[in-house]
Amino acid sequence: MRPDLRAYLLDDDGRRVFGPGPVDLLERVGELGSLRAAAIEMGMAYTKATRLVRDAERAFGLALTERTVGGSGGGGSQLTAEARELIERYRAFERTSRRALSASYETCFSGFVDAPRLGCVVMASGEGARFGGEPGGKLLAPLAGVPVLERTLAALPADLLDVVVVTRWDAVEALCERLGVRCVRAGGPLKSDTMRAGLEALGHRAGCLFVTGDQPLLREGSVRSLVSALTHEPTAIVRLAWQGRPANPVLWPSDTLGALAGLEGDAGGRVLLDGHSELMCRVRLVEATDEWELADVDTPDDLARLEGALADRT
């Protein structure tokens, strides 16, 4: 399944004055040197071809063809400079519209019928030095008997997201293998290395959710709300929030993923937003069910607090 587009230009009264038919006709006039020959090649009556050209000329206030005299065919028609410019502008408008249509379709129908699902990169490469123990060990630490990372993954709906966990740690990879979750290795220790590896593994996507692996009280309902917000506004940058305070996860639309893949250093997507008002204007917040959804695990005390919050939930 794929989207289709017919780009028409309308006058002030809503009547079509230019579109796929007229532009094709003018291009053939340019190739054949004759309006009549162009009409014949298109299987169109000459009177209709003449009407299409005249209607467009009246709408734009420009002459689009001019007669040529003599020659072996006894004369014909050629395009004016204004007609050639009109064709060039219309084709550029058509290409741009098709790209926008394709991106919107991929986002609005992501995961529906045969449209690819959105991507999801789970960031699981940090050493967790403040937590102590083996590098990456906090992701395997039990929270009410279930590893932190496993609880985070449980909030990511498989019918909406294609998930890839990016890590540097054997134990995390082993957990993902047990859970049947795709896992790839980060190319380095920096956040940008993790993001880039995840995006490369996912390939082309209409959008990508970035989730920290140590956010174990995230709820599936909130993730579904993030996805719903993007599918209703395909250019939005959607963030989970609590009482208006933006946090993680963040769902980025397709036109930002190239910039995210090109980041360097240990800063995440926040650097794209800082000082870029045109992107900040696109941020939409989705309110979490409670503040604990936004909490991550940096220390053993954090884990203990989340244990208490989980008990209160239950």
Side-chain angles (χ1 to χ4, degrees):
M1 191 175 297
R2 62 180 178 83
D4 194 15
L5 172 73
R6 295 290 185 270
Y8 293 99
L9 304 181
L10 311 180
D11 64 16
D12 293 340
D13 295 323
R15 291 189 297 267
R16 295 177 184 176
V17 296
F18 202 73
V23 74
D24 191 11
L25 179 65
L26 288 178
E27 286 176 333
R28 291 172 190 257
V29 170
E31 296 169 1
L32 301 173
S34 166
L35 179 60
R36 187 178 298 277
I40 292 171
E41 189 170 271
M42 293 178 67
M44 179 186 299
Y46 178 66
T47 52
K48 180 179 179 180
T50 302
R51 177 175 55 79
L52 289 177
V53 173
R54 297 297 174 257
D55 287 349
E57 288 179 329
R58 280 193 296 271
F60 292 110
L62 302 169
L64 300 177
T65 63
E66 53 189 10
R67 294 287 298 170
T68 58
V69 180
S72 59
S77 300
Q78 65 180 14
L79 300 181
T80 63
E82 291 81 5
R84 296 185 187 280
E85 182 179 358
L86 173 60
I87 292 170
E88 184 176 344
R89 288 178 181 270
Y90 175 84
R91 289 304 191 194
F93 165 67
E94 190 178 47
R95 287 192 302 273
T96 304
S97 299
R98 287 188 182 279
R99 286 195 294 268
L101 179 75
S102 178
S104 296
Y105 171 78
E106 290 177 353
T107 304
C108 294
F109 285 87
S110 61
F112 185 77
V113 191
D114 62 346
R117 288 182 286 271
L118 298 174
C120 177
V121 174
V122 179
M123 313 276 285
S125 292
E127 292 190 12
R130 293 173 58 194
F131 192 85
E134 293 295 321
K138 71 175 182 179
L139 298 172
L140 284 300
L143 175 58
V146 179
V148 166
L149 177 59
E150 185 173 345
R151 288 193 176 275
T152 303
L153 292 172
L156 306 176
D159 60 315
L160 297 182
L161 300 169
D162 283 336
V163 176
V164 60
V165 175
V166 184
T167 191
R168 293 185 290 149
W169 318 119
D170 292 342
V172 170
E173 192 169 25
L175 175 63
C176 291
E177 184 175 359
R178 176 173 69 79
L179 297 175
V181 177
R182 186 182 181 191
C183 185
V184 299
R185 291 286 181 145
L190 305 177
K191 286 183 181 178
S192 59
D193 297 322
T194 299
M195 296 174 72
R196 186 160 43 253
L199 289 170
E200 288 176 356
L202 288 166
H204 175 76
R205 298 286 164 164
C208 186
L209 181 71
F210 287 87
V211 183
T212 58
D214 60 347
Q215 202 166 338
L217 297 194
L218 181 65
R219 292 179 185 263
E220 180 179 332
S222 294
V223 176
R224 288 186 178 277
S225 294
L226 292 169
V227 172
S228 178
L230 182 66
T231 57
H232 285 82
E233 189 178 351
T235 61
I237 299 167
V238 190
R239 305 188 67 174
L240 192 64
W242 175 246
Q243 296 180 346
R245 177 175 64 87
N248 292 316
V250 184
L251 179 53
W252 295 83
S254 60
D255 68 317
T256 63
L257 299 185
L260 291 172
L263 291 176
E264 301 289 343
D266 204 33
R270 186 184 66 252
V271 300
L272 289 188
L273 297 176
D274 291 345
H276 293 84
S277 58
E278 70 280 5
L279 291 180
M280 285 296 299
C281 289
R282 292 164 57 181
V283 173
R284 303 291 181 266
L285 302 183
V286 169
E287 279 292 306
T289 306
D290 59 47
E291 61 183 316
W292 295 108
E293 286 199 72
L294 279 58
D296 55 13
V297 179
D298 287 329
T299 67
D301 287 343
D302 292 337
L303 188 63
R305 281 192 291 271
L306 292 183
E307 188 102 27
L310 184 59
D312 289 343
R313 272 189 184 179
T314 305

